[in-house]
Amino acid sequence: MSKLGVHDLSVRYGKLTALSDVSFTVAEGERLFISGPNGAGKSSLLGAISGAVRAAHGRVEMDGDILSGHSPEGIARRGLSMVPEGRRIFRALSVQENLMVGTGLRRDRAAVADDLATVYAAFPILHDRRHANAGALSGGQQQMLAISRALMTNPKLMLVDEPSLGLAPKVVDEVYDRLVALQAQRGLTLVIVEQSSARAARVGGRMLLMRGGRVVADGDAASFAAHDLLSEAYFGDPA
């Protein structure tokens, strides 16, 4: 059974079609990158999976259970967590208060302290600045906080939207190193929207390439660069 199944999913905003009959599955423990040009439908896809965006038709399943039609909170309770584009941290709250926001839907309260320790071990700078206002963090530190807040929900599946957006390459390397390590440590399934297909190829995993609201290629991220598939996804088939 797949961890995540997306079946004939379409999203429309008025007369604009953002996604058109998108289908794919993600295996448990897999790392899937979604790449493509601006307007390809990547963020709409993550929004529809998480329940933040209403699908026109199609369905989303996790562990065989249908998520479609449930609220974002209901989906989160089933073990899906979202790291949104732009991080959306609570700037006026402290770092630790932001992390505790991620525990609001949990029932296993006794495990929260252990998860907090895990997050602080993965991102020591957050521990050092746990009493500081989150708005005072650098962009990279805010991205670490957004990832950590999602981890505090104790997810099985985590969606990450543009984690490298606006960050220096060295900081992006650090964020991805920690994210991949946490995936292995916690047995996470990751679906990551990554504008830089070269970055996805370096990190490694499977990749979906999208254009015009459709999936145009699906395969190993590292192999795409050798086959002109990235150019086709971004610019279209020159033929």
Side-chain angles (χ1 to χ4, degrees):
M1 181 184 298
S2 300
K3 172 60 69 174
L4 175 69
V6 175
H7 305 282
D8 300 319
L9 195 65
S10 293
V11 169
R12 301 188 183 97
Y13 303 110
K15 295 182 179 180
L16 174 66
T17 298
L19 290 179
S20 183
D21 298 321
V22 170
S23 296
F24 62 92
T25 60
V26 184
E28 185 168 2
E30 189 174 13
R31 182 163 59 249
L32 175 70
F33 288 97
I34 300 173
S35 193
N38 290 333
K42 305 183 298 293
S43 293
S44 292
L45 174 58
L46 261 59
I49 293 171
S50 67
V53 172
R54 182 177 179 181
H57 69 78
R59 73 185 189 279
V60 178
E61 299 177 353
M62 189 172 79
D63 294 327
D65 295 328
I66 295 177
L67 301 184
S68 306
H70 290 280
S71 68
E73 294 79 11
I75 292 173
R77 286 191 181 95
R78 287 167 167 77
L80 185 148
S81 188
M82 174 84 168
V83 181
E85 180 182 357
R87 300 178 274 276
R88 300 184 195 172
I89 61 168
F90 297 101
R91 299 175 63 87
L93 299 182
S94 72
V95 167
Q96 185 149 312
E97 286 170 337
N98 268 271
L99 293 173
M100 296 309 291
V101 167
T103 69
L105 297 175
R106 291 183 62 165
R107 297 173 181 171
D108 57 336
R109 309 302 296 180
V112 168
D114 289 341
D115 286 344
L116 188 62
T118 297
V119 162
Y120 281 150
F123 299 106
I125 189 62
L126 298 183
H127 179 268
D128 295 345
R129 306 202 64 185
R130 62 191 182 280
H131 300 305
N133 280 2
L137 300 180
S138 69
Q141 291 164 0
Q142 289 183 13
Q143 185 64 69
M144 295 173 190
L145 177 57
I147 291 169
S148 297
R149 182 179 60 191
L151 287 166
M152 289 300 295
T153 69
N154 192 28
K156 305 172 188 174
L157 168 65
M158 196 156 76
L159 313 179
V160 188
D161 197 354
E162 301 264 25
S164 60
L165 187 65
L167 302 183
K170 184 177 180 180
V171 177
V172 177
D173 287 341
E174 183 179 3
V175 168
Y176 266 114
D177 285 347
R178 306 289 174 82
L179 184 57
V180 169
L182 283 164
Q183 180 186 15
Q185 179 181 351
R186 299 178 66 111
L188 289 170
T189 303
L190 292 179
V191 177
I192 306 170
V193 167
E194 176 52 72
Q195 188 70 19
S196 171
S197 51
R199 170 72 58 183
R202 285 195 294 272
V203 173
R206 179 173 152 223
M207 182 187 287
L208 295 183
L209 293 178
M210 295 186 67
R211 179 162 57 89
R214 297 179 181 273
V215 174
V216 297
D218 180 350
D220 180 68
S223 70
F224 279 138
H227 295 92
D228 291 334
L229 289 174
L230 299 177
S231 295
E232 182 179 336
Y234 276 81
F235 304 114
D237 188 345

